[in-house]
Amino acid sequence: MSTRTWGARRPRRRRTTTGAAVTAAVAAAAVLLTGCGGDADKASVPEGWGTLETGSLSVGYPKSEGYAEQPAAERAKANAAVALKEEDGIRTGMVSVQLDFATGVHDAAGAAAAAGAGIGLDSTRRATDDVRLAGPEDADEAREARRIDYDFTSDGQEDTPNRGTPMTGVLVAGVDSKGVPFVVRLNAVKDAVDAEDLDAFVGSITVK
């Protein structure tokens, strides 16, 4: 099991203030607190990325790398949201969100088991980790999810790369605050998305 820390800051040197300086500092802090709103409950999405919004979660996708959100009328019924990267008519990358995709699932472990069964027999799992997603404080259990990293080969169907092309993927599965199971995936041609971007993808998820 691995634990990642996002947005860690270096410790600041301690300062002492008196009189007017203290009053000014308190006033400034009050402004900052009132201006934050619910932003602390939202995940950080990298600059240049877009965001897919669904009823259970939001997730970032690398828009600056050529991914574009697929219109609802064009995506498969099983998907609540999709972003695609297409090159010369071939889908070389895909971000997808599926909601309520399995029955009898009540926690992250069950959602991950159901989602993992769907990655295919020709896939190779590289890692499975528990992760904690961003989200409202009152959705504590819903923020617990499971991440699976895996490799597979393209089957060449439905405008995907030629059969046998090495691919890589990461999925995050869990259950939202209303008990709806979800799975979020990023699949792409191997080495087209580096490890840092895969981490950023997982870190961009906010559960609702």
Side-chain angles (χ1 to χ4, degrees):
M1 184 181 298
S2 64
T3 302
R4 304 183 185 277
T5 301
W6 298 88
R9 296 180 178 177
R10 294 179 180 177
R12 297 180 178 177
R13 293 180 180 177
R14 179 173 295 178
R15 290 183 176 180
T16 58
T17 55
T18 58
V22 172
T23 302
V26 171
V31 171
L32 289 173
L33 288 172
T34 55
C36 286
D39 290 346
D41 298 335
K42 296 181 180 179
S44 174
V45 177
E47 184 177 356
W49 284 38
T51 303
L52 298 177
E53 294 283 353
T54 72
S56 292
L57 58 87
S58 63
V59 59
Y61 65 91
K63 186 175 182 179
S64 57
E65 297 298 323
Y67 285 73
E69 186 169 357
Q70 186 181 36
E74 297 178 12
R75 65 176 182 251
K77 292 183 179 180
N79 295 321
V82 172
L84 296 173
K85 181 175 183 178
E86 297 184 330
E87 300 176 82
D88 297 325
I90 301 299
R91 297 180 177 182
T92 58
M94 179 176 180
V95 172
S96 63
V97 181
Q98 289 183 310
L99 305 178
D100 206 11
F101 69 98
T103 58
V105 171
H106 306 290
D107 56 23
I119 65 176
L121 297 176
D122 59 344
S123 301
T124 301
R125 294 196 188 196
R126 293 187 286 107
T128 300
D129 299 296
D130 290 332
V131 293
R132 184 167 174 80
L133 306 177
E137 291 185 5
D138 58 1
D140 188 57
E141 291 186 5
R143 296 169 63 186
E144 303 299 333
R146 188 159 292 180
R147 168 180 176 169
I148 301 175
D149 290 80
Y150 55 95
D151 292 329
F152 63 105
T153 55
S154 174
D155 59 13
Q157 299 180 14
E158 298 182 359
D159 299 324
T160 56
N162 291 334
R163 184 179 181 84
T165 299
M167 308 286 288
T168 192
V170 59
L171 69 80
V172 177
V175 177
D176 73 7
S177 60
K178 296 181 180 179
V180 177
F182 64 81
V183 57
V184 187
R185 294 184 178 88
L186 191 161
N187 292 331
V189 173
K190 193 170 179 63
D191 298 327
V193 181
D194 61 24
E196 184 177 350
D197 281 341
L198 291 178
D199 287 345
F201 169 73
V202 175
S204 74
I205 300 171
T206 299
V207 70
K208 301 176 183 178

